């Protein structure tokens, strides 16, 4: 199976997530398809213990200037995977999340996959609306917004990475 031969890097951008990080990181560590590398990039504006908590999960923890896209750009540049996954730090992921997302990249015409996830504390309707927002962002604005994306490193590099000139706040 093609997707099982890919090296997978998870890049997690964090901003004041000490109350929620364990939800995402625990669910990512309990995947049916393991990842090869975990990189956590903490926004310098964080005022909680996010940086210290991140260090309990991986030794690849970096600091970033303000902005989520900036943090993700740094994380991707520090990663080595063929496939990059950029989940949010406050979301629980189903045990087959990585496998479900990455398998679509077996098709050489697929460069980006956007999926749904479940925010802790949101109602089912709230989680549904988050999924709709991600779909609308891609379908109408042609960008992969949302709380979890999987993409090919080579495609990411071909488009020049994230657009850091937009308002990240």
């Amino acid at each position: 199976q093609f997707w099982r031969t890919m090296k997978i890097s998870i890049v997690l951008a964090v901003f004041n997530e000490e109350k929620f990080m364990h939800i995402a990181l625990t669910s990512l560590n309990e995947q049916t398809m393991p990842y090869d590398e975990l990189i956590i990039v903490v926004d310098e504006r964080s005022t909680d213990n996010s940086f210290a908590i991140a260090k309990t999960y991986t030794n690849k923890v970096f600091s970033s200037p303000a902005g989520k896209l900036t943090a993700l750009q740094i994380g991707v540049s520090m990663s080595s995977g063929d496939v990059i996954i950029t989940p949010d730090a406050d979301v629980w992921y189903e045990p087959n999340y990585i496998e479900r997302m990455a398998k679509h990249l077996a098709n050489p015409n697929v460069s980006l996959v956007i999926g749904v996830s479940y925010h802790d504390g949101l109602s089912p309707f709230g989680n549904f609306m988050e999924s709709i927002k991600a779909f609308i962002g891609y379908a109408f604005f042609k960008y992969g917004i949302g709380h979890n994306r999987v993409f090919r490193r080579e495609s990411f590099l071909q488009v020049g990475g994230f657009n850091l000139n937009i308002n990240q706040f």
Side-chain angles (χ1 to χ4, degrees):
Q1 295 173 341
F2 170 78
W3 67 90
R4 293 195 188 274
T5 64
M6 299 182 290
K7 182 173 182 181
I8 297 176
S9 295
I10 293 182
V11 176
L12 195 68
V14 173
F15 175 68
N16 285 339
E17 302 284 0
E18 78 176 357
K19 293 181 182 176
F20 306 106
M21 287 172 64
H22 68 281
I23 295 167
L25 291 166
T26 298
S27 66
L28 290 169
N29 284 336
E30 296 174 347
Q31 293 293 301
T32 56
M33 179 180 172
Y35 53 84
D36 298 289
E37 174 180 59
L38 172 63
I39 295 173
I40 301 176
V41 184
V42 180
D43 188 312
E44 289 176 349
R45 297 174 302 140
S46 287
T47 57
D48 64 3
N49 292 316
S50 292
F51 199 88
I53 293 168
K55 286 196 160 285
T56 67
Y57 285 91
T58 181
N59 63 350
K60 294 183 179 186
V61 180
F62 303 96
S63 185
S64 166
K68 182 172 185 175
L69 295 179
T70 300
L72 290 173
Q73 186 82 17
I74 289 169
V76 172
S77 72
M78 299 295 192
S79 70
S80 61
D82 308 306
V83 172
I84 311 298
I85 300 177
T86 60
D88 268 5
D90 63 346
V91 175
W92 173 81
Y93 296 94
E94 292 180 342
N96 64 346
Y97 162 70
I98 292 175
E99 189 169 354
R100 268 194 0 245
M101 297 290 279
K103 74 178 181 181
H104 296 286
L105 297 179
N107 179 337
N109 296 315
V110 174
S111 294
L112 170 69
V113 179
I114 301 170
V116 299
S117 58
Y118 305 96
H119 283 262
D120 190 45
L122 279 184
S123 68
F125 179 75
N127 278 305
F128 172 75
M129 292 308 294
E130 285 293 315
S131 299
I132 295 297
K133 181 175 77 173
F135 172 76
I136 289 171
Y138 180 74
F140 296 103
F141 301 107
K142 300 299 183 212
Y143 61 89
I145 68 166
H147 32 262
N148 69 82
R149 291 174 292 289
V150 176
F151 51 86
R152 296 177 191 276
R153 170 185 293 287
E154 68 181 75
S155 299
F156 180 79
L157 296 175
Q158 284 176 352
V159 299
F162 292 108
N163 180 358
L164 302 180
N165 295 317
I166 65 172
N167 182 350
Q168 297 182 50
F169 309 102

